[in-house]
Amino acid sequence: LTREPVRLVGIPEITDVRKILDIFRTLGSEVTVDYAQGVLEVHHRATRFDPEQHHLPEEMRSSIMLVPGLLARFGVARIENDVQGCTLGVREIDPHVEVMERFGARVQRRREALVMRVDAGTDDGDGGLQANHHWLDYASVTTTENFVLCAALARGTSTLMNAASEPHVQEFCRFMAMLGARIEGIGTSRITVHGVPRLGGGEFRFAEDFHEAVTFLALGAITGGCITVKNSAPEQFPLIDRTFAKFGVQVVHEGGWSHTVVDGPLRVKPPFTQNILQKIEAAPWPYLPVDLLPIFVALGAKAEGSAMFWNKVYEGAMGWTSELSKFGAHAFMADPHRIITFGGKPLAPAEVESPYIIRVAIALLMLAASIPGRSTIRNAAPIRRAHPRFAENIRALGAPTEWVEGD
């Protein structure tokens, strides 16, 4: 969207970042990255795009976020039919296509891809991306971000209802504002964007990823250790803290750092209402994020007592819990959205297989780390999409962990 240089601080060395930077280089952008310092400098002044020649990566769902910039800059973009990310369940691209159409894109369906086009803008306001008002079917993170990307340079004022408000969406909007986008309603379900003629450059520093902070807090809790993680945004954690508390885990935030305190074995806290199970419900923010649900399933499999876990977003995303039985854990799938764990059972090392879901691979590893003996997590590569130097960090904490290539 901008032809000016941008400097990003806090870039992780993960596979998705490497892939997106490879795409930038292929398109002719100038890219300089120092993973040791976490600094990326990118300049898109000489970028080019040909839909017949350039294809966005299919295995990375976030590549769909390149579409608004391509439409605004070149008037054309392409989405591969098989674009996908974690196998969380049915993840349609229709909401993204609807957003592009609302901004004036014409969509052509080909056998292998969707090609979108907009007419070049003119001085009298014809063509180009056109402002609009849209109401999402559900509060989708990447669809909200794509709306903001389209609206930033669209002619006029655009409004999105039922917008996602996750911390990373808010951070994304602050980044866009740094570039010069005029955005109102950040952190709410109604976002208004006043289009501007052009965006500038600048430097932006990312905050710590709350997904990673929760991951390591949970690792400490399930293994009986104490892991302290950097966390400059504890105001995002009240519901996450209460979810930990349902398993007897207290989260302490002090001076920009967070750690867990566990008094004895993990135990599911019984609800005051009789004859119901403790519930962990995950849905769009400000609910507990769905991405974190597998981590708490692992705690439920380990803790004494029973709990119900409810994924209110993705249908069929809980099928992986059958792998827990290989450790000796007991989990029952009530329906495509809900499972029940019966924790506190004797557990043993095992070889398990992860689906292509980042936090599920983490959840299986968490349970394995809490069991004496050698376990193997097959298909654990999704971890590398979100956690830089994960195995090295786990080893540094005292858990012998190694990658086995091909698994």
Side-chain angles (χ1 to χ4, degrees):
L1 286 176
T2 179
R3 299 173 184 268
E4 302 302 319
V6 175
R7 188 172 192 264
L8 303 176
V9 181
I11 291 293
E13 187 177 3
I14 56 178
T15 54
D16 278 18
V17 169
R18 289 187 175 278
K19 288 176 181 178
I20 209 75
L21 296 185
D22 285 343
I23 286 293
F24 288 164
R25 294 185 182 100
T26 300
L27 299 181
S29 300
E30 300 169 26
V31 177
T32 304
V33 62
D34 183 343
Y35 289 115
Q37 298 298 317
V39 176
L40 166 68
E41 295 179 349
V42 61
H43 199 173
H44 296 299
R45 57 184 168 186
T47 306
R48 63 192 185 282
F49 180 76
D50 180 351
E52 305 303 325
Q53 176 185 355
H54 299 124
H55 298 177
L56 304 182
E58 296 180 8
E59 70 280 4
M60 192 173 66
R61 188 172 178 82
S62 57
S63 65
I64 204 168
M65 292 183 62
L66 297 178
V67 170
L70 296 175
L71 284 175
R73 183 88 166 258
F74 304 104
V76 62
R78 172 187 175 120
I79 303 175
E80 305 307 309
N81 283 342
D82 293 330
V83 64
Q84 60 187 331
C86 290
T87 53
L88 294 168
V90 178
R91 304 180 75 189
E92 57 186 350
I93 65 169
D94 291 64
H96 298 274
V97 176
E98 289 175 2
V99 163
M100 310 305 171
E101 288 180 323
R102 295 285 292 175
F103 281 97
R106 302 184 307 279
V107 181
Q108 175 190 5
R109 181 183 293 277
R110 297 184 180 178
R111 184 176 61 84
E112 73 287 355
L114 295 179
V115 176
M116 303 182 186
R117 299 180 185 275
V118 295
D119 295 327
T122 62
D123 292 338
D124 58 8
D126 294 329
L129 295 172
Q130 300 294 320
N132 75 93
H133 305 289
H134 190 50
W135 196 311
L136 292 180
D137 292 347
Y138 63 94
S140 162
V141 167
T142 49
T143 310
T144 298
E145 293 168 339
N146 264 341
F147 184 93
V148 172
L149 286 167
C150 288
L153 295 180
R155 297 172 184 266
T157 297
S158 301
T159 303
L160 181 66
M161 294 296 296
N162 200 19
S165 59
E166 276 79 354
H168 39 298
V169 176
Q170 298 177 41
E171 184 174 50
F172 168 78
C173 289
R174 290 193 293 270
F175 164 71
M176 291 295 294
M178 182 275 294
L179 294 180
R182 297 174 56 202
I183 306 173
E184 300 170 2
I186 297 175
T188 74
S189 61
R190 184 179 189 271
I191 291 179
T192 300
V193 183
H194 305 283
V196 296
R198 64 186 59 83
L199 296 175
E203 177 177 307
F204 188 84
R205 182 178 297 271
F206 294 107
E208 299 84 27
D209 180 2
F210 75 94
H211 296 95
E212 184 161 48
V214 173
T215 295
F216 280 94
L217 290 173
L219 269 166
I222 201 170
T223 59
C226 183
I227 300 176
T228 301
V229 298
K230 188 170 175 56
N231 181 12
S232 60
E235 67 276 6
Q236 299 171 352
F237 274 68
L239 181 54
I240 294 172
D241 293 348
R242 296 211 314 275
T243 305
F244 271 112
K246 293 180 179 181
F247 302 96
V249 180
Q250 178 188 1
V251 181
V252 178
H253 305 285
E254 294 178 323
W257 296 82
S258 302
H259 68 274
T260 57
V261 177
V262 183
D263 184 13
L266 296 175
R267 289 187 176 88
V268 177
K269 181 181 178 181
F272 288 105
T273 305
Q274 295 182 359
N275 303 318
I276 71 167
L277 293 171
Q278 182 64 269
K279 291 189 298 183
I280 293 84
E281 303 175 56
W285 191 271
Y287 268 83
L288 179 76
V290 168
D291 287 349
L292 297 180
L293 193 60
I295 289 173
F296 289 102
V297 171
L299 291 180
K302 182 75 173 181
E304 297 179 12
S306 301
M308 184 185 74
F309 298 84
W310 192 352
N311 184 328
K312 295 186 173 183
V313 177
Y314 299 118
E315 182 176 348
M318 308 289 272
W320 65 273
T321 51
S322 60
E323 292 296 304
L324 296 174
S325 64
K326 297 178 181 178
F327 290 115
H330 186 185
F332 169 74
M333 178 172 284
D335 60 38
H337 288 274
R338 294 179 295 176
I339 68 159
I340 299 170
T341 58
F342 304 89
K345 309 297 182 184
L347 303 177
E351 180 175 304
V352 297
E353 187 165 344
S354 173
Y356 196 77
I357 303 175
I358 296 167
R359 235 63 61 177
V360 169
I362 295 287
L364 294 171
L365 184 143
M366 283 173 53
L367 208 55
S370 74
I371 304 169
R374 180 184 177 89
S375 294
T376 300
I377 318 298
R378 291 195 172 275
N379 301 325
I383 293 175
R384 287 174 161 160
R385 293 187 55 218
H387 295 279
R389 298 180 56 81
F390 186 78
E392 293 86 342
N393 288 335
I394 296 298
R395 284 199 298 270
L397 294 169
T401 306
E402 61 179 341
W403 285 103
V404 179
E405 295 303 325
D407 289 343

